[in-house]
Amino acid sequence: MVLGLIIACEVAFWVAVFGGLLARYVAHRPRLGIVLLFLAPVVDVVLLALVTVDLLGGGTASWHHGLAALYIGISIAYGHRMIAWADAKFATRFQGAPPRPKLTGAAYTIACWKDAGRTLLAVGIAAAILGGLILIVGAPERTEELGGFFPLLGVILGIDVLWAVSYTIWPKQSAPVKG
């Protein structure tokens, strides 16, 4: 059931984002667009509430509950960036705004380190949610699975830091000019 909730919340997140952007750029209803965009983080609160109710109602934690915590962490840490990316794409498509330049060199390296910071925030949020659920439920036999997610959070952060380190050592080069 929790996996279905995660999928439904992911779909609801993107429906809110694209609905907000369509309202803003296609329907020319910026206020409606803002309202719809505001619903995107509300989806995270709903998911957290549903997962908590499930566990407090006697459910036994599974990897789905841990995935929900990770999803919420990523959504909070990266949500604004994902929405800004989609907004820029819509602005380019529907208002003729220039496309965002592709980052290379030091600019790309800095972006990678900013992403590593976002990932640190995401795993920190996920760890706080996992720890909070373990404490609130107060039944180690039902929340044992959640403890197994902490090493995974470390691996996720480690991969992102290695990515940033690699582009610090070997900066991304500009595409060769054709002509």
Side-chain angles (χ1 to χ4, degrees):
M1 178 179 94
V2 175
L3 183 59
L5 291 173
I6 295 168
I7 293 168
C9 286
E10 176 71 6
V11 169
F13 175 88
W14 286 108
V15 165
V17 170
F18 286 117
L21 295 173
L22 286 170
R24 176 188 274 176
Y25 292 107
V26 178
H28 305 290
R29 308 247 343 252
R31 286 187 182 159
L32 175 61
I34 288 172
V35 169
L36 291 170
L37 288 171
F38 179 74
L39 291 177
V42 172
V43 171
D44 296 332
V45 174
V46 169
L47 180 59
L48 181 57
L50 292 172
V51 166
T52 304
V53 166
D54 181 50
L55 291 176
L56 288 176
T60 300
S62 68
W63 68 272
H64 304 116
H65 294 86
L67 182 63
L70 179 59
Y71 167 79
I72 292 167
I74 290 171
S75 181
I76 291 170
Y78 280 92
H80 183 269
R81 181 170 177 244
M82 290 186 288
I83 291 170
W85 170 83
D87 187 60
K89 292 289 186 185
F90 268 71
T92 300
R93 171 69 175 92
F94 294 105
Q95 288 187 335
R100 287 182 166 181
K102 296 198 182 280
L103 300 177
T104 58
Y108 187 79
T109 301
I110 290 168
C112 288
W113 281 106
K114 286 180 180 179
D115 280 347
R118 286 183 191 93
T119 301
L120 176 62
L121 176 61
V123 299
I125 291 168
I129 291 170
L130 292 169
L133 288 172
I134 291 168
L135 287 173
I136 290 170
V137 173
E141 66 281 357
R142 290 193 303 117
T143 58
E144 182 180 352
E145 185 79 20
L146 298 179
F149 258 80
F150 291 107
L152 176 61
L153 297 177
V155 169
I156 291 169
L157 179 60
I159 289 169
D160 208 8
V161 168
L162 284 175
W163 182 269
V165 166
S166 73
Y167 279 103
T168 301
I169 297 169
W170 302 286
K172 185 175 182 177
Q173 301 299 312
S174 300
V177 177
K178 296 178 183 179

